Amino acid sequence: MRLFGLIGFPLSHSFSKGFFTEKFSRENIAGCAYENFPIPDISAFPALWEENPALEGLNVTIPYKQAVMPYLDELTDAAKAIGAVNCIRRDGKRLIGHNTDVLGFGRSLQPLLAPDHTDALVLGTGGAALAVKYALKQLHIRYSEISRSGPVTYEAITPELMQSHKLIINTTPLGMYPNTDAAPPLPYEHAGTEHLFYDLVYNPPETLFMKKGMERGAAAKNGYEMLILQAEASWEIWNS
């Protein structure tokens, strides 16, 4: 039995086990299982591999995307540049860290891009923002970072900045279930039909951030497809 799984804490919010279990059934992939491993501290990471010799690969979610890195034998260039790992493949006795968030986001965003989407506002500075910024660089899209503490604060967003940055990406958890009445404090009144609001949050499917953009005529997309694509990229890596 080939074993794969997810580490993080807690894991009640994760969709990964359901996704892979359904994938294995739907695609008639025999002899594979996917389990959640809610380890309360990253120090339990080495023992997890020792206790599960059939384990071939792991996905990594909060709060361990950065904390797991010292435990790995090798990092891909993307994982090094982003400074976060969300996929691990066992190669013999070696553990190799990858980042599939950048693949999932890039593949999800690219079909939506219009000629006006040359500059982006990236809301948030956490691990997800690192992957988003790496993908934007690959797509040759300039960006400005927005957070409560800077480098550009929400209060400093001018009408001119909104007009020159037609792509706005929320990498924060604002608006995620159950706090669905929250949204990044943007001057939404300066958005328009040329804007694209991309929210990494996927629960609820239509966040307040997205709704506020759409009220001004903007296009909007949630992070569910990104999630699917990064999961599929993990499967590609585990079978490479």
Side-chain angles (χ1 to χ4, degrees):
M1 176 68 71
R2 301 178 68 193
L3 179 61
F4 306 91
L6 174 71
I7 61 167
F9 195 82
L11 291 180
S12 57
H13 68 284
S14 175
F15 98 121
S16 297
K17 182 176 180 178
F19 171 82
F20 280 104
T21 300
E22 181 182 341
K23 176 182 175 68
F24 296 155
S25 175
R26 182 180 66 251
E27 299 180 15
N28 296 313
I29 301 172
C32 292
Y34 191 101
E35 300 294 340
N36 284 342
F37 297 104
I39 56 176
D41 191 274
I42 194 61
S43 61
F45 179 77
L48 178 65
W49 292 92
E50 294 174 7
E51 294 165 3
N52 296 276
L55 190 59
E56 295 184 29
L58 284 175
N59 289 124
V60 184
T61 189
I62 54 174
Y64 299 137
K65 289 187 178 184
Q66 294 169 311
V68 76
M69 294 171 70
Y71 292 88
L72 306 178
D73 299 296
E74 183 181 338
L75 299 172
T76 63
D77 291 341
K80 288 178 186 175
I82 295 165
V85 163
N86 76 326
C87 176
I88 299 168
R89 179 173 71 91
R90 193 207 295 256
D91 184 8
K93 294 184 178 181
R94 295 172 57 77
L95 298 178
I96 303 172
H98 299 254
N99 190 297
T100 63
D101 282 337
V102 65
L103 294 172
F105 174 73
R107 292 173 181 177
S108 176
L109 176 68
Q110 197 162 13
L112 305 175
L113 294 175
D116 285 332
H117 299 145
T118 56
D119 295 79
L121 298 181
V122 179
L123 313 182
T125 56
L130 296 172
V132 164
K133 290 184 290 184
Y134 189 88
L136 291 176
K137 287 178 183 177
Q138 291 183 317
L139 294 168
H140 307 291
I141 296 173
R142 298 180 294 267
Y143 60 83
S144 296
E145 302 171 64
I146 312 295
S147 76
R148 296 187 186 279
S149 56
V152 179
T153 64
Y154 289 98
E155 292 77 15
I157 299 176
T158 62
E160 292 76 18
L161 192 65
M162 287 285 288
Q163 285 303 307
S164 62
H165 292 69
K166 297 293 198 308
L167 173 60
I168 303 179
I169 304 159
N170 178 38
T171 73
T172 79
L174 286 171
M176 182 184 295
Y177 179 86
N179 301 312
T180 57
D181 59 347
L186 294 172
Y188 293 92
E189 65 273 17
H190 300 301
T193 56
E194 295 174 344
H195 280 82
L196 170 60
F197 280 57
Y198 192 110
D199 201 334
L200 268 61
V201 172
Y202 59 90
N203 183 13
E206 197 171 279
T207 62
L208 185 57
F209 165 78
M210 294 169 60
K211 290 177 181 177
K212 285 177 172 287
M214 290 187 290
E215 286 172 359
R216 308 299 300 181
K221 186 177 182 67
N222 68 26
Y224 185 72
E225 185 185 44
M226 172 186 169
L227 200 67
I228 297 294
L229 292 171
Q230 67 89 2
E232 292 287 3
S234 294
W235 183 242
E236 292 172 15
I237 288 167
W238 293 331
N239 288 281
S240 62

